[in-house]
Amino acid sequence: MNRTSEQDFENAIADVLLASGYQRHQSKEFDRENAIFRDVALKFIQTTQTKEWDKLAALHGDKTGDRVITALCKWMDTNGSLSTLRHGFKCYGKTLRIAFFKPAHGLNPELEARYAANILGFTRQLYFSPKNQQSLDVTLSINGVPLITVELKNPLSNQTVADAIAQYRSDRDPREKIFDFKKRTLVHFAVDTEEVHMTTRLAGTSSYFLPFNQGRDGGTGNPADPQGRNYRTAYLWEEVLQPDSLLDLLSRFLHLQEEEKLTDEGKKVKKETMIFPRYHQLKAVRDLVNAAATEGTGHNYLIEHSAGSGKSNTIGWLAHRLSSLHDAHDKRVFDSVIVVTDRLVLDQQLQNTIYQFDHRQGVVQKIEEDSRQLAEALENAVPIIITTLQKFPFVAQQLAKLSEARGESTKSRLPTRKCAVIIDEAHSSQSGETATKLKEVLGGEELHQKAQELAAEEGESNLEALYRSMVKRGNQPNISFFAFTATPKHKTMKIFGRDGEPFSKYSMRQAIEEGFILDVLQNYITYKTYYRLLKACEDDPNVESKKAAKALSRYMRLHPHNISQKTEIMVEHFQNYSRHKIGGRAKAMVVTGSRLEAVRYKQAFDKLIKEKGYNIKSLVAFSGTVVDDKIPEKTYTEPEMNGGIREKDLPEEFATRDYQVLLVADKYQTGFDQPLLHTMYVDKKLGGIQAVQTLSRLNRTHPLKKETFILDFVNDPEEIQKAFKVYFDGATMGEEVDPDRLYQIQNELNEAAIYLDPEVDQFCEIFFAPKQRQSQADHKIMNASIDKAVSRFQDWLKNQEDEAELWRGKVQAFCNLYAFLSQVIPYQDSDLEKLYTYLKHLALKLPKRTSSSGYQFDDEVQLAYYRLQKISEGSISLHEGYASKLDGPKEVGSGKVRESDVPLSRLIDLINERFGEDLNEADQLFFDQITEVAAQVEAIAQAAQANPIDKFQLVFSQVLESLFIERMELNEDLFARYMNDPEFKELVSQWLGQQVYSRIPKTMSYRPQTKSKSKGNS
């Protein structure tokens, strides 16, 4: 017998499912015309709804069965099988159910019995068509209604999941009743022993299958069974398709998503998509729900899911599940679920999704007006509340107004209820003061009582508000946080993670490999700007080097020649390469370094496009009003430059065919989803998380979008790779902050004697005074207590500016560190809270550093030389190198130190030296290639490992000459100079030797006996 056949694969699946509660249904029992197991459906209805059946039988007699099946099939044809399963169907005035789902609690035995009566059917080789004898490998049904189909393939028989997908596309007619969208089957699985793929809509060759895999080593695929006894895909039938799991999926996961989309002609069309959770979504929601049911309230959960993970649906499913969650004792776990989001699209999507699960109105309330509306929703314990974080600081006063309006005693706090808070995007704002306000509001009565007790214990009952401020910072026993993010920071992982680990992870690598987002670094071109500045003024003024360098850089960036040259590269590239992508609908984003640069680029783009006669239109995005640096009293605003388009309408306008290029300055670099965005031109320094978030605007998929493109004028590809690598496989926590560091900074601040303890106490006694003890004179006294410290600081600033500035830095460091650490460490130290409150207000009144205004070098400097040159092209691989860890804040209290003054002419020379003048980029590229090759030469590697640098240089110089000779045709001018100019040859040899030596790992370290003389710089 062939032990590698597909039939054995079927047998293995059948054994598991039949043993778990499925019943075998034969294909001959199937009504092909109506696509239903008729007898099974009638048996279920008769058994579970006897009263309704008897009343119908009294009317229809022997034809009752036919009437019921006809009504059921018509209802499914009109409303869909999923809606019918959830809400039943009408038959001659009677509501009948074709399925019963598990109740949220076990308090109703009748509901439990009805749930147990569901009949789950398993059919092998189902002959489904009235037209032919085609059959399906496996069909799963519930109470006679076919819902799941499975096509199986066995790689050992030389067929894979790809063949199963091809079979669905070519041999499964979507017009057959069983495959007709929504009307019967809801999901189709293509399965082999290695992978699972699925689709919820068969559409011939256009059928779109999604991976339904667990993920392996952070990427796509499935892990092998650790015991080596089972298939990699066994989780599908041993977990996902188990009876309770399948019924749960139908009850609380599958939903019909309806979207209005604009056609190319500008018409609105409705698109329906049946949403079935991907594996990581299903697992994340179930794991979170199970943990919450077991652990109860007062716990935090970090969900690190990459872009492309389907976060909106995951949040919708989680919110719905948590809102009706009961524990093992059938007690409700949460009274309310609060979804904190800034995304408008999530509001309606959540409401539509949850209404499909639960037809009751008022389950979901979106807070779209003000904090009064939020206060009312919290007071009424609305099951699911969608709001922004910014409304919470004003809830207390709104609660007071509501109680006054009802004629009750003034009450500014809620009863303590159990709350689940789902954070749509967990970032640094969740570790700030606004987030602690949320905790204070939701902490309710019990938080106030705890503060009263602590104040009484410390003999400071008059400072209850101080202790309330302390208590609200820590974890609240009645609140659980579920924080979602694709790019966590150290603070996020520390506050919401568990031992620095996320509760659930879906990595960028897996999202890319599964095709849910694009790898934006696959096509990456970098340019470098080479220029020479000349001093144009007769005198040679002394300037502060760092500030002047920034001014010179700004002069260069805004120089008309720089803007025009880069604009020409971008416009020509877009016209000739990008605009034809995505079926001629591709769009581009230009990321600029400042608002004024965005203005200049917008002007330059429109001018060049008009001159060339190209059919390209641009929009610009920046905040506020920009003042022209050339034309007095000339200002610019975004709507004015965009022909009157309002800021809030810009994304919708950009999505139309009218516009192709969006120029941005610190806008639309996060949270902007535009699948037609294909190309990005970067003229801004990006680093760390900002680089990831900005460049990831390109990663959204589109059926016609095969790749993306980035042209970068500023950034080093190695730095970009380093930034993305942190999140490619998921972030990891690095070095943590020492909690005692907070006390060290406190001592350092105290030693300066800028403030005195009695002044801190005086300020806090008034600031935290009960409302009934507050007076109009309080504001005056608080200012007076701070002004004493301000005066001392002013004197210090005059005499010892650098030391004073370092102290100012420590003030900010203390405030930031306390705001963070007090959320993860229960300090319960009222002195720290007092000092934190005092210093926050003192920092606002400290005089700003006296320094000269920014330099303007328009008349003092001229651009003498300028060249843009492409220096790299290709992909930036994320599969190489090591990911940096996310360390906690280390350098605290660092202040500014004034840069030394240098002559303007010398500073210009330094900048010109840095950008090169005698040697061009082709020469530098030649040197880089030599360095790369030399580092791979075995003799050089051995010499580096066995010798100190001075002895290594002797070996290196001998090999280097041969490397030059081998590559002489690549740069004949440089080769000739190297061979004929001894001083140049020595300089190059020494410099390249140092580069190569530093690259090669050493097994021993050497200390040079003499310092080598430097004869040049790179």
Side-chain angles (χ1 to χ4, degrees):
M1 185 176 179
N2 184 2
R3 303 310 298 170
T4 62
S5 70
E6 189 178 297
Q7 188 174 359
D8 284 318
F9 194 21
E10 281 185 33
N11 290 338
I13 296 171
D15 290 344
V16 171
L17 292 179
L18 292 171
S20 66
Y22 280 82
Q23 297 180 20
R24 191 186 296 274
H25 296 338
Q26 301 298 329
S27 179
K28 62 185 179 182
E29 301 168 20
F30 189 67
D31 178 350
R32 300 192 197 186
E33 292 289 345
N34 290 306
I36 193 169
F37 289 95
R38 174 192 173 96
D39 293 343
V40 178
L42 292 175
K43 177 184 175 183
F44 172 76
I45 294 170
Q46 281 181 283
T47 304
T48 58
Q49 298 149 85
T50 308
K51 289 181 182 179
E52 290 81 359
W53 179 270
D54 290 344
K55 289 178 182 178
L56 288 170
L59 288 173
H60 303 289
D62 294 342
K63 296 182 178 179
T64 302
D66 292 338
R67 298 278 193 271
V68 169
I69 291 297
T70 299
L72 170 59
C73 291
K74 281 185 177 179
W75 197 276
M76 288 193 292
D77 290 344
T78 304
N79 300 290
S81 58
L82 183 61
S83 176
T84 307
L85 284 164
R86 285 180 177 157
H87 309 298
F89 64 101
K90 288 281 188 178
C91 180
Y92 290 87
K94 302 299 178 188
T95 299
L96 298 175
R97 306 298 294 262
I98 192 60
F100 289 102
F101 295 109
K102 193 168 189 173
H105 52 75
L107 300 176
N108 190 327
E110 184 182 349
L111 293 178
E112 291 279 349
R114 284 185 164 187
Y115 172 72
N118 286 309
I119 303 168
L120 281 80
F122 174 89
T123 306
R124 289 175 67 171
Q125 300 304 319
L126 176 70
Y127 296 93
F128 56 84
S129 175
K131 306 171 189 174
N132 55 55
Q133 285 297 97
Q134 287 186 336
S135 65
L136 288 158
D137 287 343
V138 173
T139 306
L140 304 181
S141 58
I142 291 182
N143 303 318
V145 180
L147 298 170
I148 313 286
T149 72
V150 185
E151 289 292 354
L152 300 169
K153 300 298 172 188
N154 188 353
L156 295 178
S157 302
N158 205 28
Q159 284 203 311
T160 68
V161 69
D163 296 292
I165 292 172
Q167 187 173 11
Y168 271 121
R169 287 174 173 162
S170 59
D171 296 343
R172 300 294 177 248
D173 186 349
R175 293 168 296 182
E176 293 275 9
K177 179 68 74 175
I178 193 172
F179 299 131
D180 203 351
F181 179 63
K182 299 189 303 182
K183 296 180 180 179
R184 296 297 185 275
T185 50
L186 299 174
V187 63
H188 311 278
F189 288 104
V191 185
D192 67 13
T193 59
E194 312 300 308
E195 292 192 11
V196 179
H197 291 246
M198 65 165 183
T199 186
T200 56
R201 186 171 204 157
L202 291 181
T205 54
S206 299
S207 301
Y208 184 61
F209 279 79
L210 302 175
F212 188 79
N213 296 314
Q214 294 176 297
R216 180 179 65 192
D217 299 329
T220 189
N222 292 298
D225 176 16
Q227 280 78 41
R229 296 176 300 180
N230 213 336
Y231 303 108
R232 290 178 187 267
T233 51
Y235 63 90
L236 179 64
W237 52 92
E238 292 187 350
E239 177 190 331
V240 178
L241 299 179
Q242 286 292 297
D244 285 339
S245 172
L246 179 55
L247 286 162
D248 180 58
L249 278 162
L250 294 165
S251 170
R252 308 191 213 195
F253 283 92
L254 267 81
H255 67 273
L256 191 66
Q257 182 173 294
E258 297 180 357
E259 298 175 279
E260 272 196 349
K261 294 201 169 185
L262 284 175
T263 65
D264 293 344
E265 294 75 31
K267 293 181 180 178
K268 285 187 176 180
V269 294
K270 188 174 80 168
K271 181 188 177 186
E272 292 185 325
T273 308
M274 184 66 68
I275 302 296
F276 188 95
R278 286 144 61 188
Y279 183 81
H280 74 272
Q281 294 175 306
L282 180 64
K283 180 170 173 54
V285 172
R286 285 179 169 172
D287 287 351
L288 288 164
V289 167
N290 291 337
T294 304
E295 297 175 352
T297 56
H299 298 275
N300 293 347
Y301 308 87
L302 178 62
I303 302 96
E304 185 185 348
H305 283 191
S306 164
S309 67
K311 181 174 66 170
S312 296
N313 282 322
T314 306
I315 288 175
W317 289 316
L318 180 62
H320 177 246
R321 294 296 296 271
L322 294 177
S323 69
S324 60
L325 182 62
H326 288 68
D327 62 17
H329 304 290
D330 287 323
K331 292 183 179 179
R332 193 169 173 180
V333 178
F334 299 109
D335 298 306
S336 280
V337 178
I338 295 102
V339 181
V340 178
T341 179
D342 291 320
R343 289 192 295 155
L344 296 174
V345 68
L346 190 61
D347 302 332
Q348 195 59 47
Q349 192 171 334
L350 271 175
Q351 292 181 76
N352 293 343
T353 300
I354 291 167
Y355 183 68
Q356 290 187 43
F357 301 135
D358 191 334
H359 267 198
R360 293 175 299 157
Q361 294 290 349
V363 173
V364 182
Q365 184 173 353
K366 172 190 172 186
I367 308 303
E368 51 193 348
E369 296 172 12
D370 51 26
S371 52
R372 181 186 180 91
Q373 188 188 17
L374 175 58
E376 289 173 340
L378 290 169
E379 238 187 4
N380 296 327
V382 172
I384 299 174
I385 300 168
I386 308 171
T387 184
T388 60
L389 189 64
Q390 288 70 32
K391 289 187 172 69
F392 278 94
F394 310 102
V395 167
Q397 61 195 62
Q398 293 296 341
L399 289 170
K401 289 179 181 178
L402 288 171
S403 62
E404 285 175 10
R406 291 192 296 264
E408 302 170 358
S409 59
T410 303
K411 192 173 184 181
S412 60
R413 51 185 178 266
L414 295 165
T416 298
R417 296 197 180 102
K418 294 176 290 183
C419 298
V421 178
I422 300 176
I423 300 172
D424 177 24
E425 182 52 52
H427 44 66
S428 54
S429 66
Q430 267 75 42
S431 59
E433 285 300 293
T434 313
T436 62
K437 276 291 182 185
L438 177 148
K439 293 180 183 179
E440 182 177 14
V441 168
L442 300 182
E445 191 67 47
E446 287 182 9
L447 185 145
H448 283 253
Q449 289 177 359
K450 185 174 180 181
Q452 284 178 346
E453 292 168 5
L454 284 172
E457 285 176 14
E458 298 298 325
E460 294 184 309
S461 295
N462 61 320
L463 293 179
E464 180 194 327
L466 168 70
Y467 287 87
R468 190 162 63 246
S469 183
M470 289 165 51
V471 170
K472 73 183 181 184
R473 298 187 185 284
N475 279 352
Q476 303 305 314
N478 66 309
I479 307 172
S480 288
F481 283 92
F482 300 81
F484 285 77
T485 183
T487 49
K489 296 181 179 178
H490 177 92
K491 287 183 179 179
T492 319
M493 299 190 80
K494 186 64 180 173
I495 292 172
F496 299 113
R498 299 191 172 194
D499 297 323
E501 290 291 328
F503 185 88
S504 173
K505 180 189 290 187
Y506 178 75
S507 69
M508 184 192 297
R509 177 203 289 259
Q510 189 170 350
I512 290 171
E513 291 181 3
E514 291 187 340
F516 291 106
I517 57 173
L518 296 169
D519 182 355
V520 300
L521 304 184
Q522 279 298 302
N523 298 290
Y524 204 105
I525 286 183
T526 54
Y527 274 73
K528 195 167 184 180
T529 308
Y530 295 86
Y531 61 85
R532 181 172 180 79
L533 301 174
L534 290 178
K535 181 176 70 67
C537 55
E538 292 184 8
D539 59 344
D540 197 6
N542 278 353
V543 292
E544 188 179 328
S545 61
K546 189 172 183 180
K547 187 173 292 184
K550 286 183 179 179
L552 287 169
S553 175
R554 180 177 182 275
Y555 168 84
M556 183 60 236
R557 293 178 66 79
L558 289 169
H559 196 283
H561 190 71
N562 180 55
I563 296 284
S564 65
Q565 290 292 298
K566 290 178 179 176
T567 297
E568 185 168 3
I569 287 174
M570 292 186 277
V571 170
E572 292 297 338
H573 177 272
F574 184 79
Q575 172 68 15
N576 297 315
Y577 174 80
S578 294
R579 70 167 303 148
H580 310 294
K581 302 292 184 178
I582 319 182
R585 297 167 62 193
K587 298 181 184 293
M589 177 181 281
V590 180
V591 181
T592 68
S594 70
R595 296 184 306 153
L596 185 55
E597 285 175 52
V599 169
R600 292 281 184 261
Y601 272 121
K602 168 67 172 165
Q603 294 167 334
F605 260 70
D606 291 351
K607 179 184 176 185
L608 182 62
I609 289 166
K610 186 177 180 181
E611 289 173 358
K612 296 281 189 177
Y614 293 153
N615 186 23
I616 300 172
K617 286 181 73 177
S618 71
L619 292 169
V620 66
F622 57 84
S623 302
T625 301
V626 177
V627 179
D628 197 299
D629 64 338
K630 303 292 185 188
I631 307 171
E633 299 182 6
K634 175 62 177 173
T635 60
Y636 305 91
T637 64
E638 178 184 307
E640 172 203 335
M641 296 198 78
N642 290 331
I645 296 171
R646 295 181 301 175
E647 288 190 42
K648 68 175 185 177
D649 296 333
L650 188 143
E652 190 173 333
E653 288 291 332
F654 183 58
T656 67
R657 279 187 174 267
D658 295 337
Y659 297 96
Q660 292 76 37
V661 179
L662 178 62
L663 302 106
V664 302
D666 292 323
K667 284 184 81 173
Y668 299 112
Q669 288 171 238
T670 60
F672 179 59
D673 293 343
Q674 174 46 262
L676 296 175
L677 204 57
H678 172 276
T679 298
M680 185 174 286
Y681 304 107
V682 182
D683 195 29
K684 175 185 179 178
K685 187 68 178 173
L686 299 172
I689 194 170
Q690 187 189 38
V692 177
Q693 291 175 336
T694 300
L695 302 183
S696 293
R697 296 310 96 214
L698 296 179
N699 68 18
R700 293 331 190 240
T701 59
H702 183 280
L704 300 177
K705 188 174 174 183
K706 307 303 179 188
E707 78 289 304
T708 63
F709 182 90
I710 295 172
L711 193 155
D712 195 331
F713 293 107
V714 178
N715 299 286
D716 183 344
E718 289 185 3
E719 291 300 313
I720 296 297
Q721 196 263 3
K722 183 179 177 182
F724 270 81
K725 188 67 179 175
V726 171
Y727 300 104
F728 186 55
D729 290 304
T732 54
M733 278 252 304
E735 189 176 334
E736 296 190 36
V737 186
D738 181 0
D740 291 333
R741 181 65 180 130
L742 195 63
Y743 287 108
Q744 293 171 19
I745 301 172
Q746 181 189 21
N747 290 334
E748 291 164 8
L749 290 170
N750 291 344
E751 286 171 1
I754 295 296
Y755 57 82
L756 303 177
D757 288 344
E759 294 164 3
V760 175
D761 291 337
Q762 181 188 29
F763 178 88
C764 290
E765 282 172 11
I766 299 170
F767 184 83
F768 290 111
K771 191 172 182 179
Q772 60 271 23
R773 289 180 51 193
Q774 295 174 2
S775 71
Q776 293 181 343
D778 288 350
H779 186 264
K780 178 175 65 177
I781 298 170
M782 283 196 299
N783 270 278
S785 64
I786 287 178
D787 286 343
K788 296 174 184 176
V790 171
S791 296
R792 298 184 194 110
F793 183 82
Q794 285 175 322
D795 292 339
W796 196 15
L797 197 63
K798 289 176 188 174
N799 301 318
Q800 295 176 294
E801 183 178 0
D802 290 346
E803 287 79 358
E805 287 300 329
L806 284 168
W807 189 87
R808 188 205 301 269
K810 291 185 189 298
V811 168
Q812 194 60 52
F814 177 86
C815 292
N816 291 342
L817 207 54
Y818 181 72
F820 165 51
L821 288 176
S822 59
Q823 294 190 66
V824 294
I825 296 165
Y827 281 109
Q828 297 299 310
D829 185 335
S830 60
D831 288 339
L832 287 178
E833 185 72 30
K834 287 179 184 177
L835 185 59
Y836 169 75
T837 306
Y838 176 84
L839 290 178
K840 263 200 319 175
H841 293 85
L842 173 63
L844 298 173
K845 292 199 72 173
L846 290 178
K848 297 296 181 286
R849 175 177 190 159
T850 55
S851 59
S852 57
S853 59
Y855 296 109
Q856 292 287 342
F857 290 130
D858 293 10
D859 298 324
E860 290 85 0
V861 172
Q862 289 180 351
L863 179 64
Y865 166 81
Y866 180 96
R867 186 174 83 257
L868 268 174
Q869 186 166 329
K870 185 192 297 186
I871 61 169
S872 70
E873 181 173 4
S875 66
I876 299 177
S877 174
L878 293 173
H879 294 275
E880 299 168 1
Y882 296 94
S884 303
K885 294 186 177 183
L886 296 172
D887 291 335
K890 286 195 183 101
E891 189 59 39
V892 289
S894 57
K896 297 178 181 175
V897 176
R898 184 179 293 280
E899 294 285 329
S900 58
D901 289 349
V902 297
L904 177 58
S905 58
R906 173 59 187 145
L907 183 60
I908 293 172
D909 288 341
L910 289 172
I911 290 176
N912 283 329
E913 287 171 18
R914 174 183 164 197
F915 280 90
E917 199 266 317
D918 289 330
L919 300 180
N920 62 30
E921 186 55 21
D923 302 325
Q924 184 59 54
L925 186 59
F926 180 82
F927 285 144
D928 291 344
Q929 292 171 344
I930 291 283
T931 305
E932 291 288 341
V933 172
Q936 305 300 319
V937 175
E938 188 175 348
I940 290 178
Q942 291 175 351
Q945 291 172 346
N947 294 286
I949 182 76
D950 53 343
K951 291 185 179 178
F952 166 79
Q953 288 282 15
L954 298 174
V955 178
F956 179 79
S957 60
Q958 296 169 10
V959 180
L960 182 62
E961 187 166 312
S962 64
L963 293 177
F964 263 79
I965 293 169
E966 290 171 6
R967 286 158 182 77
M968 59 181 291
E969 73 278 5
L970 298 177
N971 195 321
E972 293 180 359
D973 292 339
L974 197 61
F975 171 75
R977 188 171 177 188
Y978 177 84
M979 298 302 290
N980 298 322
D981 185 342
E983 187 174 351
F984 179 81
K985 183 175 183 178
E986 182 181 357
L987 171 63
V988 169
S989 180
Q990 288 289 320
W991 189 81
L992 289 179
Q994 291 170 0
Q995 296 294 309
V996 173
Y997 190 78
S998 65
R999 289 188 180 201
I1000 297 172
K1002 317 295 187 302
T1003 54
M1004 299 179 65
S1005 60
Y1006 293 92
R1007 181 174 298 167
Q1009 296 175 356
T1010 58
K1011 292 184 179 178
S1012 60
K1013 295 180 180 179
S1014 176
K1015 295 191 178 182
N1017 53 36
S1018 55

